[in-house]
Amino acid sequence: MEAIVLAAGKGTRMCSELPKVLHPVFGKPVLGLVLETLAAAGIKSPHAVIGYKAEEVRSFLKPYGAVAVLQREQKGTGHAVLMAKAALKTAQGPVLICPGDMPLVKAETLKEFFAAHQKSKAHVSVLSCESEDPRGYGRIVREDGRFASIREELDATPEERAITEINTGVYLFDKKVLFEGLEKIGKDNQKGEYYLTDTIEILRREGYCVEAFPLAGAEEGQGINSQKDLATVTKKINEREIAKHQVKGVTFMAPDQTFVAPGVKIGQGTTVYPWCYIESGVEIGARCEIGPFAKLRKGSVVGDGSVVGSFVEVNRTQIGKKVLAKHLAYLGDAVIGDGSNIGAGTVTANFDGKKKHQTAIGKNVKVGSNTVFVAPVRVPDGVTTGAGSVVLPSTKIKKGDVVVGVPARPTSKKKR
Ligand code: UD1
Ligand code: CA
């Protein structure tokens, strides 16, 4: 199946210089989420219509195998689809159209929509949904229950505005019928744009079969037009991710105050306390305690039975098993061996102003409060650092040593 993703608009209502579809949800642009869903639904190389800051948007398409179609001027969704006509020249079968600003729709739903479309033998199908707050969306107008047209908010009569079934912006069109319809739309509307939605009424009048299939819930139909919508979508994705971990035996004390990006692994029996932020790609083992107030960033792994406690930030760091980092620490570009204890106030100074450097801490190391590791640093197994020590790259440390001071130096048992 061919697909067209509409992503050329600026997103005026976002009040932002960044193209709307590049606004991030947990660090990933909204458009990326949509393209991932299409891939999961089995759609290879969709056509993405780009326009506003086209080069910025284009650079995001490649990893998803999407092909760019340029819409130089944004004259409306109908005009945007028309731009893909040449690219679809040899295409057979139905064309899926979806907005680049609707990342909550699931791949399963797209498959079901496709099946319903096939079964009904309609020339055009629209994915609709019931909305408690239909403001801003096109309304599904039915006559005697039959889908008749889509009316945009600004052009709607008060009666039409009262309709709560809305257009999600996802469509399946027979290719020939699509471009036939697009030839006939005008821009005689409040926005002065060529509306894709106007094809419905025209095609129906010409005798084509048009259908609207309502979604079971409104959630997936949520589009992003404003910063408020972006926050709503982010919240929903967070809820979905947390629910996935809950059914695998992870405890979240306060799911609403915890943020877990898609693509995180957490082992059974782990408890995540409130106000944590866990980025995509992080792996946490079983029976760990995370937070409250912990930030776990990309490329970090926490081994089984470890504690990453309050106000601890972990960044590109591998933490072994049964490691305790219970309070106030920055662990960046580090490897920490099993059984080590990281005292309060520990900092890996990983950045020299130009480059990042590694800190390798062995097993069963006892890091005293307020120790600073000026990376690159290697700390062998069983070492203890005194409170306030500053360990330099030049510090010579042997297995089991006790190092103290600024800069840190090994000390004898007697002095201790
Ligand atoms: C559109 C629908 C509306 C539907 C809603 C669902 C039309 C006329 N209206 O309204 O019925 O309820 O989506 O979210 O289609 N775009 C382009 N080029 C353009 C204009 C828009 O590529 O010239 C893209 C935008 O980047 C966006 C998508 O099309 O990703 C939808 O455009 P938007 O302006 O958000 O349409 P809505 O007003 O939300
Ligand atoms: Ca929209």
Side-chain angles (χ1 to χ4, degrees):
M1 185 170 34
E2 296 287 342
I4 304 173
V5 181
L6 302 181
K10 175 176 193 275
T12 312
R13 291 163 280 180
M14 296 298 286
C15 301
S16 162
E17 283 303 302
L18 189 67
K20 175 167 72 177
V21 292
L22 294 190
H23 278 75
V25 174
F26 284 111
K28 188 172 280 177
V30 166
L31 181 60
L33 295 170
V34 173
L35 294 173
E36 275 177 11
T37 305
L38 290 182
I43 293 161
K44 291 187 199 89
S45 44
H47 305 272
V49 183
I50 60 173
Y52 176 72
K53 297 203 174 170
E55 293 323 305
E56 252 179 79
V57 181
R58 193 193 298 271
S59 63
F60 279 87
L61 297 178
K62 244 212 168 130
Y64 302 96
V67 186
V69 170
L70 191 64
Q71 183 194 23
R72 267 176 222 288
E73 253 183 283
Q74 284 68 65
K75 298 183 190 171
T77 48
H79 179 257
V81 173
L82 201 54
M83 298 299 105
K85 189 175 178 182
L88 290 174
K89 208 169 163 193
T90 59
Q92 303 285 327
V95 180
L96 176 76
I97 299 174
C98 67
D101 64 352
M102 191 188 146
L104 289 180
V105 68
K106 294 179 182 165
E108 272 315 301
T109 304
L110 293 180
K111 287 185 194 169
E112 283 165 22
F113 176 50
F114 180 64
H117 171 73
Q118 295 283 76
K119 201 173 161 211
S120 71
K121 299 204 166 63
H123 296 97
V124 186
S125 294
V126 175
L127 190 65
S128 70
C129 78
E130 276 297 326
S131 175
E132 275 174 23
D133 183 10
R135 277 175 301 173
Y137 290 96
R139 309 297 205 280
I140 300 291
V141 180
R142 291 180 183 270
E143 286 166 12
D144 302 322
R146 300 287 304 166
F147 178 34
S149 59
I150 300 175
R151 190 72 64 234
E152 292 307 305
E153 167 107 10
L154 290 176
D155 307 298
T157 62
E159 292 75 37
E160 286 168 336
R161 271 184 210 181
I163 298 172
T164 51
E165 185 181 4
I166 59 127
N167 167 27
T168 64
V170 177
Y171 319 81
L172 275 160
F173 276 87
D174 172 274
K175 192 186 99 180
K176 192 181 129 283
V177 173
L178 169 64
F179 292 109
E180 220 181 290
L182 287 176
E183 298 295 322
K184 293 177 182 155
I185 56 172
K187 51 174 184 169
D188 181 19
N189 52 50
Q190 287 298 323
K191 269 193 174 173
E193 288 185 356
Y194 294 96
Y195 288 164
L196 173 61
T197 45
D198 280 352
T199 58
I200 302 291
E201 196 168 1
I202 294 169
L203 292 171
R204 193 186 74 112
R205 279 217 203 103
E206 295 196 350
Y208 289 110
C209 172
V210 300
E211 289 283 358
F213 295 105
L215 276 166
E219 178 188 314
E220 289 181 61
Q222 173 77 53
I224 299 174
N225 291 322
S226 62
Q227 298 285 351
K228 187 166 177 256
D229 293 338
L230 181 67
T232 304
V233 165
T234 303
K235 184 166 187 279
K236 212 65 229 178
I237 288 179
N238 191 43
E239 281 170 17
R240 282 185 187 174
E241 291 307 316
I242 287 180
K244 281 188 210 163
H245 296 294
Q246 283 172 325
V247 296
K248 290 184 178 166
V250 180
T251 303
F252 293 88
M253 191 175 165
D256 292 345
Q257 277 84 257
T258 306
F259 304 91
V260 182
V264 168
K265 284 189 187 156
I266 311 179
Q268 196 170 29
T270 287
T271 299
V272 183
Y273 291 96
W275 305 296
C276 292
Y277 190 90
I278 305 174
E279 292 185 354
S280 187
V282 168
E283 290 180 26
I284 299 169
R287 300 173 306 282
C288 294
E289 284 179 39
I290 308 295
F293 296 103
K295 184 177 187 191
L296 279 75
R297 295 170 57 189
K298 268 201 174 76
S300 298
V301 175
V302 181
D304 294 347
S306 291
V307 178
V308 175
S310 36
F311 305 101
V312 174
E313 177 170 339
V314 181
N315 190 17
R316 293 185 302 271
T317 285
Q318 319 280 308
I319 294 180
K321 291 178 185 162
K322 296 197 172 167
V323 170
L324 304 180
K326 292 178 107 168
H327 357 249
L328 302 162
Y330 172 68
L331 305 170
D333 295 297
V335 177
I336 300 168
D338 297 349
S340 288
N341 187 90
I342 307 297
T346 298
V347 170
T348 55
N350 58 338
F351 188 47
D352 63 11
K354 286 193 188 108
K355 269 180 152 175
K356 304 271 168 66
H357 301 279
Q358 298 276 334
T359 299
I361 296 174
K363 291 180 184 166
N364 303 312
V365 170
K366 291 189 176 61
V367 179
S369 294
N370 256 13
T371 297
V372 178
F373 294 104
V374 183
V377 170
R378 182 166 283 279
V379 183
D381 294 349
V383 164
T384 300
T385 72
S389 6
V390 175
V391 182
L392 299 180
S394 57
T395 309
K396 298 239 173 342
I397 316 175
K398 293 195 304 296
K399 208 170 163 179
D401 271 355
V402 175
V403 298
V404 297
V406 181
R409 288 203 180 86
T411 172
S412 68
K413 253 197 181 144
K414 206 172 149 197
K415 270 196 185 162
R416 260 157 39 217

